[in-house]
Amino acid sequence: MTVRKRPVSNLLGLAVLGLLLEQPMHPYEMAATLREREKDASFKVKTGSLYDVVESLVRAGWIAEHSTERAGRRPERTVYAHTELGRKEFMSWLDELVRTPVKEYPSFLAAVSYLGALGPERAVQALGERIARLDEQIDEAREAQADVLGQHTPRLFVIELEYALTMAEAERDWARRIVGEIQNGTLTWPELITREGRQVWTDHDETEGQQA
């Protein structure tokens, strides 16, 4: 399936369109609501970037000014709402993202493709530290999920927290398994010799500069 080019591709735009399904909002309220619902775990929520995305959505004709409001002595704030086009585009974009796996290039995947260069001991140390940090993130994610659901937020509205938690647990469990295999010797380091006769990726750590 071909992914269609859209005038707005920043995923923060998807978050804005999703919020406006509920009610018209001004950008400050959008940012506050996203953070309150822990959506900043799924979207990079920065107020400046959000205003830029809102302007892009307006230019695309997906949202439009609904009204203005003033609170006390604060400047007037523009409240935005969906256009009919914006509602259709949101549904189409969302449907496409759910249906179509997109090739992504996470930094950890790139790093583990060269895990052998670290040598067994250093690889175990690096993975061990990552496991500890993932454990902390998992604990924090569980607390955040419990807090949001404790506010009687429907589970479906924050189901991405469940997905993120599952992915973090899977990554942690994989890293633990690899550490175990390195330590028990079932994952071995092949002996590779460069054209210059230098050993790399061997069972002997720190072979840099040694000649075969």
Side-chain angles (χ1 to χ4, degrees), residues 34-112:
L34 289 171
R35 293 190 180 103
E36 180 183 314
R37 296 179 182 177
E38 302 289 341
K39 297 290 187 184
D40 51 353
S42 309
F43 303 93
K44 191 177 287 186
V45 182
K46 291 186 177 179
T47 305
S49 299
L50 191 142
Y51 275 92
D52 290 341
V53 166
V54 166
E55 290 178 4
S56 297
L57 291 169
V58 171
R59 287 195 299 271
W62 293 6
I63 65 175
E65 183 176 330
H66 177 267
S67 61
T68 57
E69 62 180 41
R70 184 190 297 274
R73 296 182 178 179
R74 293 178 180 174
E76 283 189 343
R77 289 175 174 169
T78 302
V79 176
Y80 295 92
H82 269 283
T83 63
E84 188 61 33
L85 173 63
R87 186 179 294 270
K88 289 178 180 177
E89 287 290 344
F90 171 72
M91 298 302 291
S92 172
W93 191 7
L94 181 61
D95 184 81
E96 181 182 280
L97 288 172
V98 172
R99 287 175 185 271
T100 312
V102 176
K103 184 67 176 177
E104 296 175 322
Y105 301 91
S107 57
F108 182 57
L109 183 61
V112 295

Side-chain angles (χ1 to χ4, degrees), residues 181-197:
E181 290 181 7
I182 295 172
Q183 291 174 329
N184 66 26
T186 56
L187 179 59
T188 59
W189 259 239
E191 290 192 9
L192 300 180
I193 310 298
T194 68
R195 290 180 180 178
E196 295 77 22

Side-chain angles (χ1 to χ4, degrees), residues 134-187:
L134 283 169
D135 279 334
E136 291 177 1
Q137 291 177 14
I138 288 167
D139 288 342
E140 290 171 0
R142 284 174 178 158
E143 289 178 11
Q145 185 183 41
D147 287 344
V148 173
L149 294 177
Q151 298 169 19
H152 305 293
T153 303
R155 177 185 165 208
L156 185 60
F157 289 4
V158 289
I159 201 166
E160 76 279 3
L161 297 178
E162 203 172 291
Y163 172 81
L165 184 57
T166 300
M167 294 300 101
E169 290 171 336
E171 182 181 314
R172 185 226 19 222
D173 294 345
W174 178 86
R176 282 177 176 169
R177 187 171 70 252
I178 295 302
V179 166
E181 290 181 7
I182 295 172
Q183 291 174 329
N184 66 26
T186 56
L187 179 59

